[in-house]
Amino acid sequence: MHSLKGNKVLISPIDEILIDKLRELDVDIIRCNPIEHLIEYEKNHADMQLLTIDDTAFISRDSIYLQPYLKDKYNVVVVNYLYKEYPGNVLLNALYISGKLICKEDSTAPQIIKYALDNDIKIVNTKQGYSRCSALPLNSGAIITSDPSIYKSATSIGLKTLLISSGSIYLDEKNYGFIGGASGVIGDTVLFFGDIKTHPDYKVIIDFIKCEGMEYHSLCDGILRDIGGFVAI
């Protein structure tokens, strides 16, 4: 595994092993501050706190602490506070890929929708409010997801999409997590939070990644764990 020196990510602080593994790859870490009024397992999720689209970064009023990390690289747009109840918690959980915004439009922050319309970004509506968490976007413009609605929306606009089985990703005692929340992409490398070979579809996932000209790396042993992914800054 080659060095990823010079890259910086926003990530949940709850798993020190993952953070140490990323640091071993020379990745700079910004730890999420918890949003205390969210559900316990969502409080520190990076994909709930930050969305970047080209040179613009969207954060909620709960995450003003991120502004100093973003202001030199992005135009920062602050949206409303997040709410514990769905869909008020997923204002920023949209998927931007290949000039397209895949999201549950009526659950996405109005500032994001306006930005997309103003910048000729195609909005692709889906039933899944956790659009970013539910999908792993690859640099080639391809997507891996277990969500049928995202699969349908993505394939309808010509995006190459791999549909995998749901489950086999730890979130908490009651729920299972999603592939997007259990991984992240830096450069041409997909980093998995756990061992990808514990997933029942690991062979097709690995083949799909390789066919898209990318490599993969499991950061640690054990079942994949959804900690809200990371957001490269």
Side-chain angles (χ1 to χ4, degrees), residues 18-108:
L18 287 177
I19 288 175
D20 287 344
K21 293 296 184 181
L22 285 168
R23 283 180 170 152
E24 288 175 8
L25 298 174
D26 294 320
V27 177
D28 292 330
I29 301 296
I30 302 172
R31 296 168 181 260
C32 292
N33 285 355
I35 300 177
E36 294 294 349
H37 54 271
L38 293 184
I39 297 170
E40 184 64 33
Y41 56 79
E42 292 182 348
K43 288 181 178 180
N44 291 286
H45 281 201
D47 57 19
M48 307 289 281
Q49 297 196 21
L50 173 64
L51 170 68
T52 60
I53 301 178
D54 299 329
D55 62 352
T56 301
F58 298 89
I59 60 175
S60 74
R61 294 187 183 277
D62 310 275
S63 300
I64 296 297
Y65 75 92
L66 289 173
Q67 282 186 313
Y69 301 106
L70 300 169
K71 64 181 182 179
D72 292 338
K73 187 175 180 180
Y74 298 96
N75 300 314
V76 179
V77 177
V78 181
V79 309
N80 197 10
Y81 291 102
L82 303 182
Y83 293 88
K84 181 176 181 178
E85 294 77 16
Y86 178 88
N89 58 339
V90 296
L91 297 181
L92 300 172
N93 205 268
L95 173 64
Y96 177 66
I97 184 169
S98 298
K100 302 171 181 66
L101 185 70
I102 301 176
C103 64
K104 191 172 187 293
E105 189 170 352
D106 61 4
S107 301
T108 302

Side-chain angles (χ1 to χ4, degrees), residues 136 138 142-146 151 160-166 179 190 192 196-216 224:
L136 166 56
L138 305 182
I143 296 173
I144 301 173
T145 185
S146 63
Y151 177 81
K160 186 175 179 181
T161 308
L162 174 65
L163 182 65
I164 60 174
S165 57
S166 59
I179 189 70
V190 180
F192 288 105
I196 185 57
K197 291 184 178 179
T198 64
H199 195 284
D201 297 332
Y202 79 91
K203 289 183 180 179
V204 292
I205 292 172
I206 290 171
D207 287 345
F208 189 79
I209 290 170
K210 289 181 177 180
C211 284
E212 294 305 307
M214 300 182 69
E215 60 182 51
Y216 73 94
L224 295 175

Side-chain angles (χ1 to χ4, degrees), residues 100-105 122-126 153-154 156-157:
K100 302 171 181 66
L101 185 70
I102 301 176
C103 64
K104 191 172 187 293
E105 189 170 352
K122 182 177 179 60
I123 299 172
V124 185
N125 194 37
T126 181
S153 297
S156 73
I157 54 172

